[in-house]
Amino acid sequence: MAFEIGIMTFGEITEDAATGTPPSPRQRVRETIEQARVADQVGLDVFGVGEHHRSDFVGSAPAVLLAAAAEKTENIKLTSSVTVLSSEDPVRVWEQFATIDLLSAGRAEIIAGRGSYTESFPLFGYDLTDYADLFREKLDLLLKIRDRNPLTWQGRFRPPLHDADIAPRADAGTIPVWVGSGGSPASAVSTGRLGLPLALALLLGPMTFHEQTVELYRAAAAQWGHDADALPVSINAHGYVGRTSRSARDTMYPYFARGMSENNHQRGAGFPLSRAAFDAQSSPAAGLLVGSPQELIDKLLTYHELYGLNRALIQMGFCGMPQKEHLEAIERLGTEVAPVVRREVAAQEGEAA
């Protein structure tokens, strides 16, 4: 698998720091589709939309946004980042993403996760005490829907299916399903056992934060008969690409710090992030993907060496960054960073072979 670089968004609706006025949901939706279009034009590989069910996000229906993006793009892969599968109906998830796959001529993907935000559980009538069991059962059903049709299936949380015809089918018959994980050992082992691609989320911390996670994942995959070295692994992290190291940090910091203090209110209280702490998290050994194009190149190559990484999705524009700066960073990522990283990774792998 070639090294892939993309962007992701949750479509936050945040007050403008200068005017105190938030963008309208209509504006935020249109900006999201413009981000996908620009990412495609500059040659990025993946565009992702994450799922949240709150009034300060427009991403409650990622499949709808990705379908709109399919009509404005030509080559870029379109993925959820993440689908909160625990509170979704896998039948409906398959139908939606298979439709995106047809619209996009085979570019749809799914990152299925348990959900670090939990507002969707009471909204759709699920009990958080069933958090882990819901995900296991619904992932099992989604994979069975992908692999066969018609389908007979029975579980605990959903009415049974009896010779059910689930349509449409994907453009090439299948859709890649990744599992999103914050790094828990149990998640790594279960994903490896299933032989599914692993999408790791890294908010803050050292680049090495997920080393044990990846080791457990690959060991479980090998134990269950999968080619562990061939399984894709992704890192999903916050970042920003500026003209220089200083300009990147100066642009990103106020928005990121605000998001860390205000955007976590349903996962517990947010926490203040000083400029010194942010700069430390932007250093070569830390996880944030922020800096000059060369810094991003160096850090992505280091991630590749650490984890055998195949993909990086960067969440830029977090918490109200103006669209102009966001699009400029997307363009730098696609034209100055991605080509070099792809070339270097291909050269390294060619030498190893």
Side-chain angles (χ1 to χ4, degrees):
M1 178 180 175
F3 196 95
E4 296 180 330
I5 299 176
I7 60 169
M8 54 179 279
T9 181
F10 287 94
E12 303 94 350
I13 299 177
T14 307
E15 290 181 356
D16 184 278
T19 67
T21 302
S24 68
R26 178 193 296 177
Q27 176 185 341
R28 202 71 184 96
V29 164
R30 300 315 309 170
E31 288 176 345
T32 300
I33 303 307
E34 185 180 22
Q35 292 158 20
R37 180 181 59 79
V38 172
D40 184 56
Q41 289 177 342
V42 300
L44 290 175
D45 301 292
V46 189
F47 177 74
V49 178
E51 176 184 347
H52 283 309
H53 298 268
R54 291 179 5 198
S55 58
D56 53 342
F57 293 91
V58 293
S60 62
V64 178
L65 292 172
L66 293 171
E71 292 298 287
K72 295 293 185 179
T73 58
E74 296 181 359
N75 300 303
I76 199 165
K77 294 178 181 178
L78 302 167
T79 186
S80 59
S81 62
V82 63
T83 293
V84 185
L85 191 60
S86 304
S87 57
E88 293 270 16
D89 179 358
V91 173
R92 196 61 176 144
V93 170
W94 173 265
E95 291 173 340
Q96 291 168 344
F97 279 85
T99 302
I100 296 169
D101 204 57
L102 297 177
L103 286 168
S104 64
R107 293 185 278 132
E109 295 189 358
I110 299 168
I111 300 178
R114 294 161 179 79
S116 57
Y117 286 64
T118 57
E119 68 272 3
S120 63
F121 287 79
L123 187 64
F124 296 114
Y126 292 102
D127 192 330
L128 278 171
T129 60
D130 297 321
Y131 183 81
D133 292 336
L134 279 163
F135 183 75
R136 280 192 292 267
E137 179 176 300
K138 293 193 174 192
L139 181 60
D140 173 72
L141 176 54
L142 179 63
L143 296 175
K144 284 183 168 61
I145 293 169
R146 182 180 68 166
D147 293 342
R148 70 194 70 153
N149 190 57
L151 175 65
T152 296
W153 177 92
Q154 184 168 347
R156 173 183 164 197
F157 298 104
R158 189 198 187 284
L161 299 169
H162 300 289
D163 201 27
D165 178 13
I166 300 173
R169 305 311 292 173
D171 189 60
T174 191
I175 293 175
V177 175
W178 296 61
V179 173
S181 173
S184 75
S187 176
V189 170
S190 62
T191 304
R193 178 177 61 83
L194 292 169
L196 295 174
L198 178 64
L200 293 166
L202 180 57
L203 181 57
L204 296 172
M207 292 183 72
T208 55
F209 183 83
H210 286 304
E211 277 190 311
Q212 183 183 26
T213 306
V214 174
E215 290 172 2
L216 289 169
Y217 166 68
R218 295 201 187 281
Q223 181 180 351
W224 285 85
H226 304 290
D227 185 350
D229 292 333
L231 289 175
V233 176
S234 167
I235 195 74
N236 299 358
H238 287 272
Y240 184 79
V241 192
R243 289 180 293 101
T244 66
S245 173
R246 179 63 180 268
S247 67
R249 288 160 173 74
D250 287 348
T251 300
M252 179 178 171
Y253 170 69
Y255 302 104
F256 187 73
R258 182 180 182 185
M260 293 304 296
S261 65
E262 296 180 1
N263 196 249
N264 297 307
H265 63 266
Q266 289 195 15
R267 291 191 295 176
F271 59 93
L273 183 70
S274 69
R275 178 60 190 258
F278 172 78
D279 287 341
Q281 290 295 324
S282 306
S283 66
L288 287 180
L289 288 162
V290 54
S292 67
Q294 187 59 53
E295 284 180 296
L296 266 288
I297 291 166
D298 294 341
K299 188 165 279 192
L300 288 170
L301 291 174
T302 302
Y303 266 126
H304 173 70
E305 293 168 5
L306 279 173
Y307 300 138
L309 204 68
N310 310 96
R311 175 184 286 185
L313 294 184
I314 305 176
Q315 183 177 353
M316 298 193 292
F318 181 54
C319 208
M321 181 181 290
Q323 182 80 337
K324 178 179 179 293
E325 284 80 356
H326 193 169
L327 296 181
E328 288 174 352
I330 293 171
E331 183 172 358
R332 291 189 192 102
L333 185 65
T335 60
E336 300 182 46
V337 176
V340 179
V341 174
R342 294 189 197 109
R343 184 170 65 245
E344 291 296 321
V345 169
Q348 291 173 13
E349 293 179 348
E351 289 174 4

